Structure formats: structure tokens, C-alpha cells
Amino acid sequence: MSPRSLVLGLGLALLAGCGEQRPSFEPEKVNAAPLGKGLPRGFLLGASTASHQVEGGNENDWARWERASFPDGTPHIHDRSVSGPATDSWNRFDEDVKLMKRLGSNAYRFSVEWSRLEPTPGAWDSEAAARYRQWAQALRAQGIEPLVTLYHFTLPTWVAESGGWENPATLDAFERFAGRVADLLGGEVDWWCTINEPNVLAVFGYMDGVWPPGKKDTKAMATVLAHLIEAHARAARQLRTHDLVDADGDGKATLVGLAHHVRVFQPASGSTTDIAVAGLTDEFFNESVPNALRTGRISLSVPGSVSLRREVPGLKGSLDYFGLNYYSRDHVRQDASPSFSHKYVPAGYDTNDLGWELYPEGLYLLLKRYAAFGLPLVVTENGMDDRSGERRPYYLRSHLYAVEQAVAAGADVRGYFHWSLIDNFEWAEGYAPRFGLFRVDRSSPELVRQDTPAVETFREAARNLGLTPTP
Ligand code: BGC
């Protein structure tokens, strides 16, 4: 335990306790606040999706993983589903745009699927390329700002088979891909997200082994995390040199960001060890990526196994905005596992249907923390698995309230993207969870989209922001 972690842990504990004046998150306060009135002019209000989770028919490393099992026979996907047709958004994009209009949203975050655009090394599928271009054009024609993610967890099989993110050659391939996507979509797209959640991919794919490639190898985890950070820097350079068109006329041709998954790590008790372990967890999971982006230097350490330090050319200054994906808080107790910690939600706390704690104040705290970055912030994801749909309205309201409180406290937040537009393929959880503002009836051949009650909440926020939802 380094003295730094101890100090950080103590700092967090202080933050979680007394000290500064914090806004009240009592439901009466949240419900009484005029939703969306505190958001700044030009704020991007929209929803988020990712290619593999909605398009359908993708063949990539995930599709393969879905069809296989762990050595003991347990299927990789909890509900035994495969992504298959997903929500068929590849063919139903126009329907999805109508949903966005119904929300009154002025922005949409989606990702392009590398395996579709470059199905074999160096090849380029011009039909797929044309389709993505039509999407970006359709969004712009409807007054919806596209925010395009280049990599959201799925690799073409040819990349995965040659070692995926462990292989430095993947960085060259990804850099070329980024340049080509910028050439393809730069005329319509200004907002870019290079990589989605490097920390989640590294931990789930290479430490916990629950996502492809299913490894449990801390050194590989660190290598991959470092490569993803480097891949971001290289993609940012490509986006800036290839996309010179200011598509929305605001004076900026490219706004490059990365979507970072952040969580609140709450020490389970006042004991020095719990506080220190929560601090260590926070430092590794929340801070490794932003620290590298801030300084241009990767510094990763896991006591006893990893100590990796290196400068990355072009990393410092590679961001125009910082994207935060926020869902939940973990309570952390020290234990003897490889991560030294047990993360859990104590009984009696409010959770979503996956058991993740609902803690809107965490979004406020983390926006305030990352405001110190000195860059505009965008909430690139935030949402809940709510299978009844009844609890999402308050979730949305309380998290938008958190954004507004952070803005009132001085944070420069430029956008909020709800996860998700529609129910979609939830990775290892399959189709059981429901994160969509619109429910997808999976039993209907047309995969009919239906409003959940949170659509009305979103529309209220949109109207208060001066947007006009369609009836
Ligand atoms: C991911 C999404 C995912 C969501 C909810 C985020 O970590 O970026 O792809 O669907 O969490 O599980």
C-alpha cells in the first residue's frame, strides 16, 4: 500500500463525508426541480448505442464468444442468448431516428463496426461504408448531432486471431481504420469518441476473463490497457488530420474524446485498510486513464505483478472533451483476492435489476472531480436495467438533476447521452436486462419498439431545453 494510495483513500473518505456544501438529493428536491432548465445553451441531449448491441448480423470476436462456453460448460452469455439480429438497427435505422425525434433529442451517439467496414485485412466494404454515411447524413438532416465511436468492444475476427489488443500491430491497423472512418464520415461528423471504456475491456477481458478473449492475466491486462490508451492517441491524430470539415458550423471540425467508465468506490467501513483499498481501486480503475491523458505518460501498477511506465507521443493534448460513462457505486472491503478487494452493495440499498446501486449523487461527485481536468465534459453513457420500465423516469430525472447541480457548481458539461435508446444486447448478460428508453418486443418479428414511461421524462427535459419533440 503506497502512502499515496492511503492519502487518496483518506481524501475519498473525506469527500464522502463532511466538508464542502453538497446539494440535497432528497427525492422531494429532485422532483421539485424544473428538469433540464439548468442545462447550458447548446447542450447535447441524446441517447447512446453501440454497433454490436443493436445492428444485428455482425460477425466478430464477440459473435464467436457468444456461441461458446467456459471450460466447465457454463455458457459465456448468462441467458444463453446470442446477439443474432439484435434490434436490427442495421435495417431499421430510419425507425430509430423517429424514436430520437420523439424524444426531442438533438444528438445521438453510435459506433461504427470495424468488422463490417474492414471484414478482411485492408479490404473496405463500400456498401457498409455508404450505409454509415447515409446514417450520419440522415441525422444531420434531422438536426441530430452525430457522436461517433470508433471502437466499442468488438474486433474483426482477423484482428482478434492475430492477438487483438495484446499485439502492437493492432494499433497500426486501428490507426489506419480511424483515418478511413474520418475520410468517410468527416463531412457530417464533428464529435468523435475514439475508444469506449478501456478500463472495462481490460478488466473483463484480461483479468476477470468474462469477456473475450477470456484471459485471467494481470500482465496482459496492463499491456492491453496501455495499448488502448496509445490507440486513442494515434486515432486522435488521424481524426484531426483527416476530418477538416466543420459539419455543424461552430468553428470546430473535430472534437475528439474518449468514453471512460467511472464508478464511486466507497470504503465499506472507517477501517484504514478498507479506506486504503477503496483508494487503490479508485486510483487504478478511475484514475489510470485520465492520468495518462493528462500527462502524456502511462503509469500502471498492480502491487506484486505490474509496473508499466511509458511516454506516449501525442497523448497529451489528444482530447477536446472528456467522456464519462457513469452507472453506479461499489462498496469496497479489503480481502485476499488478486484485486485485494471485495466489491458489493450492502442490503437495503436501492439497486437496478442487475443489482447495481442507484446513486445519482455519484454522477455529481465525479463530474465535479473531472471538471478539474480543465476540459469540457460529456456524459457519454448513463442508464439503468429496469425490466418493468417503471423506475427509469426517476433514474433519468435524478441523474439529469446531478448534471445540473454539477453545472451550477461550475463544471463545464456539454452533453448527456442516456444508455440506451432501445433495449439491446447486453454483452455477457444477453437480452435479459432492459436499458432502453424504448422497449423492444423480442417476440415480434418486426422487433417492435414501444415507449417506456421514461420517454415522457426525457421529452420534458428536451422541452425545457428549448427542443421540440415530435408528438
Ligand atoms: C457499456 C455499454 C453497456 C452498458 C450497460 C457500458 O459499460 O459501454 O456497452 O451496454 O455499460 O451495461
Side-chain angles (χ1 to χ4, degrees), residues 268-424:
S269 75
S271 81
T272 318
T273 44
D274 285 351
I275 292 173
V277 167
L280 265 178
T281 310
D282 179 75
E283 189 173 345
F284 178 76
F285 193 82
N286 284 335
E287 292 302 322
S288 302
V289 172
N291 276 341
L293 291 160
R294 242 188 304 257
T295 60
R297 189 177 159 74
I298 297 174
S299 171
L300 299 173
S301 50
V302 177
S305 62
V306 171
S307 174
L308 189 159
R309 292 179 214 298
R310 67 169 181 265
E311 288 297 323
V312 177
L315 182 58
K316 197 170 174 180
S318 61
L319 284 186
D320 297 302
Y321 74 92
F322 190 49
L324 296 179
N325 291 359
Y326 172 77
Y327 289 87
S328 188
R329 162 168 81 168
D330 294 315
H331 298 252
V332 186
R333 194 171 32 217
Q334 185 266 334
D335 78 0
S337 66
S339 67
F340 309 106
S341 61
H342 170 59
K343 300 184 203 66
Y344 68 106
V345 180
Y349 281 70
D350 202 12
T351 63
N352 76 9
D353 290 334
L354 281 169
W356 305 354
E357 186 185 347
L358 307 179
Y359 184 55
E361 194 169 354
L363 180 56
Y364 165 80
L365 292 172
L366 291 165
L367 284 169
K368 282 202 58 192
R369 185 203 285 196
Y370 291 106
F373 215 141
L375 286 171
L377 302 174
V378 173
V379 179
T380 30
E381 281 180 34
N382 170 243
M384 77 178 282
D385 169 21
D386 176 20
R387 300 180 198 181
S388 72
E390 296 300 324
R391 296 193 303 147
R392 188 173 297 106
Y394 186 74
Y395 182 96
L396 176 58
R397 186 176 291 281
S398 57
H399 285 77
L400 277 175
Y401 172 86
V403 174
E404 294 180 67
Q405 294 302 320
V407 169
D412 179 7
V413 191
R414 304 278 176 94
Y416 172 92
F417 291 82
H418 193 78
W419 187 274
S420 180
L421 180 69
I422 39 181
D423 293 338
N424 54 44

Side-chain angles (χ1 to χ4, degrees), residues 50 53 152-153 196-197 200 261 325 327 356 381 419 424-427 435:
Q53 295 179 272
H152 197 124
F153 298 153
N196 186 66
E197 299 187 344
V200 171
H261 188 112
N325 291 359
Y327 289 87
W356 305 354
E381 281 180 34
W419 187 274
N424 54 44
F425 181 71
E426 271 299 327
W427 308 115
F435 277 86

